[in-house]
Amino acid sequence: MKQVRLITNSAEQTRQLAEKLAAFLSAGSLITLSGQLGAGKTTFTQGLARGLGVERRVTSPTFTILKIYQGRLPLYHIDAYRLEGLDQDLGFEEYISGEGVCVIEWSNFIADILPAECINIEFSINDDDSRTLLISGFGEENERIVEQLCIQ
Ligand code: ADP
Ligand code: MG
């Protein structure tokens, strides 16, 4: 596992970090996001989308669970907030290990069904309103990506 802790001072900085990450992603990449409401998970996803060349505006998918955006690769945006404790096959495999990049907000609620290889980001809100992102890469490929993310 490779881990880095980064601080962003604005929503735009969070988007820019995600945009940088997007350049390293490929089909089957899984990004899992956790952290309280308003911590920046959807904002981060907007940056990922921008980095993947998605032109549509990315909004919170809370009421739809899954949204698909077309870019250099498809972006599958899942919000698991309403899936807490749901003990059944959700049929997410084709998105999680699919032809695109999968990003999951509130991934902690469906941790049981997720593969071990992912990039997990835990968001927290600091007293000065900046955000701390604890980024962990699991699996060789994702460890390499997290290392790349730290290089200017
Ligand atoms: P979540 O999806 O985690 O509930 P959102 O991304 O929807 O959170 O909301 C984050 C809110 O916090 C937005 O209104 C955004 O403008 C604001 N914000 C302030 N600073 C930051 C930052 N450093 N990173 C991300 N969002 C920030
Ligand atoms: Mg959100």
Side-chain angles (χ1 to χ4, degrees):
M1 197 253 280
K2 171 80 188 169
Q3 199 168 59
V4 295
R5 194 183 300 267
L6 298 174
I7 291 176
T8 63
N9 291 304
S10 68
E12 185 52 26
Q13 261 187 29
T14 294
R15 286 189 202 99
Q16 281 170 6
L17 179 64
E19 196 174 351
K20 186 174 175 187
L21 173 65
F24 301 118
L25 302 179
S26 53
S29 290
L30 172 62
I31 315 291
T32 56
L33 310 178
S34 60
Q36 69 182 87
L37 194 71
K41 302 179 295 298
T42 300
T43 301
F44 188 89
T45 303
Q46 289 167 348
L48 272 186
R50 198 162 75 188
L52 291 172
V54 171
E55 286 177 5
R56 258 172 67 207
R57 202 170 81 90
V58 170
T59 53
S60 176
T62 300
F63 295 99
T64 43
I65 300 174
L66 168 72
K67 281 192 182 173
I68 301 177
Y69 298 92
Q70 298 304 331
R72 167 174 76 81
L73 294 163
L75 177 65
Y76 308 119
H77 183 195
I78 292 172
D79 192 314
Y81 188 71
R82 268 148 223 283
L83 303 177
E84 186 176 15
L86 214 66
D87 192 18
Q88 63 186 56
D89 185 1
L90 298 164
F92 282 166
E93 295 78 10
E94 69 175 293
Y95 305 112
I96 289 169
S97 310
E99 292 167 11
V101 169
C102 185
V103 59
I104 307 181
E105 297 192 37
W106 299 102
S107 57
N108 45 307
F109 287 166
I110 55 166
D112 301 357
I113 68 155
L114 298 178
E117 296 215 352
C118 68
I119 294 173
N120 178 248
I121 308 180
E122 282 175 43
F123 293 76
S124 45
I125 306 180
N126 303 314
D127 288 344
D128 63 358
D129 209 39
S130 65
R131 304 295 194 268
T132 297
L133 280 65
L134 180 62
I135 307 176
S136 312
F138 297 91
E140 255 179 65
E141 172 75 16
N142 293 321
E143 286 175 17
R144 242 191 325 264
I145 291 173
V146 171
E147 267 165 31
Q148 294 285 319
L149 203 57
C150 303
I151 302 168
Q152 282 312 302

